[in-house]
Amino acid sequence: MNLPGDMLQATERALREAQPGSLVGMIHVHVRRIRQIAVALGHAQAAALPDAVATRLRDALRGSDHIYRIGSQDFMVLLPQLLSPGHAELAAQRLLREFERPLQVGDHLIMAVVALGLAWSPEHAGDADALARRATAAVDDAIARSTRLHLARGAGEDALLLEDLRAAIRGNELSLVFQPIVALRDRRIAALEALARWHCPRRGDVSPDRFVPLAEQGGLAADLTRWSLYAALREHADVLRSAPAVRCAINLSPRVFAEAGLVEQIVAALSIWGVPAASVVIEVTETAVMEDPEVSARTLSALRDVGLGVAIDDFGRGYSSFSYLRQFPATELKIDQSFTRDVVRDDRTRRLVGAMVTLAKGLGIETVCEGVEDDATLQVLVDLGCDNVQGYLLSRPMPCGDLGRWIASHSPATATTG
């Protein structure tokens, strides 16, 4: 991220002039869906949107605050002389409220979707560059979690955890667990999703919700993806010997999409472990692929061309348009568990899931409903025609060593009762 020199100078000045007990805040504002707007309304409208966003930001801020454009769809907002962390959060919430109203862009009213990352000094950083980086890391968290606002974590804590994670990846100290995906048509085990786990000797178990975004923000996305890919294929090669029809689903970080040689790297890994491409499904989240649809479409098409399956994870959770399914060569849609858990008690949710299943069938795409935890939910999904299900009713994620025994003990007749 190239930061304007005048912004860094103004931030350093604000830090020097801060009154005792006051804070200096930084908000990274990221404008989402620029590409979608360009497709729907034209590039001229999309290009004009950031100017309208800047005007709305100025109207919402104090006279002492400063706005800096740092990219085609990103801004930094400098907030000097804040009274408290609560004051900083109120400023961020005020900005979010401003974008609950549409912007006038030419002849169109456009709802701008923004994600905000908030950091402040001295808690999160002590200099201008570090403060901006903390705000950017926070907005990355907001985007990854499909939330509108995320607060920075303590800089020291993240730096230490990142170094521990770097060492764990290099020392092969992470582990994998696998969660079965069951086909409803005949109750067979259709696939196993590989999920990374980390038990840090100094910290105990660290949640994937914590270490995966940290890896992406800290430059370890490629290393973590490579480790996960090789570890999953190694274990899956053993599974295929006794269950040749079972696929392996592997999560892929969108941060590696633009890396040169990514597809060749995956093909080489398949060859090393003797795993057919058709038995592997690459999973990417809907939010991730929609962040840069053009790059995502190219990468996913290349993966499909070599025979791998492609699953769009957390479908329905983000800001996507169904029209983009024309670009993405998806073989599966994984319907987010926020929909699955409400299909029994909420008729509207049930109809929405039914519509997703119907849409997928019309496109020749399989569906997987995540988060199935009871028999009533399972029966509704059967009635709606969902293809596959995944969740604690079927099985919790299990260590590699338990896979063979679990697969052997679950015949098609009993696969849904495990």
Side-chain angles (χ1 to χ4, degrees):
M1 179 177 62
N2 295 319
L3 299 174
D6 58 340
M7 186 198 89
L8 293 175
Q9 292 171 8
T11 304
E12 290 292 358
R13 185 166 55 251
L15 292 170
R16 289 195 305 269
E17 297 174 354
Q19 298 297 318
S22 68
L23 309 175
V24 174
M26 185 78 75
I27 301 176
H28 187 146
V29 180
H30 177 73
V31 185
R32 310 188 68 176
R33 302 176 64 190
I34 293 286
R35 292 181 183 275
Q36 294 92 314
I37 290 170
V39 170
L41 300 177
H43 287 281
Q45 298 293 333
L49 178 60
D51 290 335
V53 169
T55 299
R56 182 65 60 84
L57 289 172
R58 288 192 200 96
D59 292 343
L61 295 168
R62 305 171 300 174
S64 59
D65 300 330
H66 302 278
I67 305 168
Y68 300 90
R69 181 91 174 261
I70 61 169
S72 61
Q73 55 197 87
D74 292 270
F75 299 84
M76 284 291 189
V77 177
L78 172 62
L79 306 167
Q81 300 294 354
L82 295 171
L83 301 177
S84 66
H87 193 190
E89 292 186 47
L90 284 174
Q93 293 292 348
R94 185 167 65 249
L95 293 184
L96 287 178
R97 285 196 300 273
E98 287 296 317
F99 291 97
E100 292 172 358
R101 299 181 289 113
L103 299 171
Q104 184 73 49
V105 181
D107 297 330
H108 298 275
L109 287 174
I110 297 176
M111 290 299 298
V113 179
V114 297
L116 272 57
L118 170 62
W120 57 81
S121 177
E123 180 176 344
H124 298 125
D127 62 76
D129 183 70
L131 186 60
R133 286 189 284 108
R134 302 307 301 159
T136 297
V139 85
D140 285 345
D141 270 342
I143 293 169
R145 290 167 168 75
S146 298
T147 59
R148 298 199 300 163
L149 171 64
H150 198 84
L151 308 184
R153 303 185 185 95
E157 175 194 357
D158 272 6
L160 291 173
L161 187 62
L162 185 64
E163 287 309 306
D164 285 345
L165 178 59
R166 190 188 312 275
I169 294 173
R170 290 176 177 173
N172 196 30
E173 296 169 4
L174 302 181
S175 61
L176 284 180
V177 293
F178 290 82
Q179 186 171 32
I181 299 170
V182 172
L184 289 180
R185 181 181 66 257
D186 54 11
R187 302 300 195 262
R188 65 181 175 83
I189 303 169
L192 297 163
E193 181 179 2
L195 303 164
R197 294 292 186 264
W198 179 25
H199 179 82
C200 178
R202 294 197 302 118
R203 303 170 186 271
D205 291 330
V206 182
S207 167
D209 289 341
R210 182 79 170 89
F211 73 77
V212 173
L214 185 66
E216 294 182 338
Q217 296 157 14
L220 295 179
D223 293 332
L224 180 58
T225 295
R226 185 161 42 249
W227 179 89
S228 297
L229 176 70
Y230 275 70
L233 292 179
R234 181 180 65 245
E235 300 299 336
H236 190 54
D238 288 338
V239 170
L240 288 175
R241 295 186 181 95
S242 58
V246 174
R247 293 168 292 168
C248 182
I250 304 172
N251 292 279
L252 188 68
S253 169
R255 296 296 179 91
V256 302
F257 275 9
E259 284 202 352
L262 171 65
V263 176
E264 292 77 7
Q265 177 183 324
I266 294 175
V267 170
L270 292 169
S271 177
I272 288 172
W273 297 109
V275 174
S279 72
V280 175
V281 178
I282 297 297
E283 290 194 8
V284 289
T285 64
E286 180 191 31
T287 302
V289 298
M290 295 306 295
E291 195 60 35
D292 194 336
E294 293 179 6
V295 171
S296 299
R298 286 198 300 270
T299 303
L300 297 180
S301 293
L303 293 173
R304 284 292 296 128
D305 288 344
V306 298
L308 289 98
V310 172
I312 307 300
D313 200 7
D314 298 340
F315 185 75
R317 181 179 174 184
Y319 298 108
S320 73
S321 163
F322 283 162
S323 65
Y324 280 99
L325 289 176
R326 294 179 301 173
Q327 297 182 39
F328 300 143
T331 57
E332 297 178 12
L333 293 184
K334 299 193 73 174
I335 298 173
D336 189 65
Q337 60 184 335
S338 62
F339 291 91
T340 303
R341 63 172 172 251
D342 289 336
V343 293
V344 173
R345 63 181 181 84
D346 186 79
D347 182 65
R348 188 176 183 85
T349 299
R350 186 161 54 251
R351 291 175 183 271
L352 280 171
V353 172
M356 293 179 193
V357 171
T358 300
L359 171 71
K361 287 185 182 298
L363 294 172
I365 299 173
E366 286 193 7
T367 50
V368 180
C369 280
E370 303 176 289
V372 179
E373 297 186 358
D374 56 71
D375 289 313
T377 299
L378 181 65
Q379 186 56 53
V380 170
L381 297 176
V382 170
D383 295 341
L384 291 175
C386 182
D387 297 305
N388 307 293
V389 288
Q390 180 178 7
Y392 286 177
L393 176 67
L394 312 167
S395 174
R396 292 177 178 269
M398 69 188 77
C400 306
D402 295 341
L403 276 178
R405 186 165 54 252
W406 193 93
I407 292 173
S409 66
H410 286 72
S411 67
T414 60
T416 63
T417 60

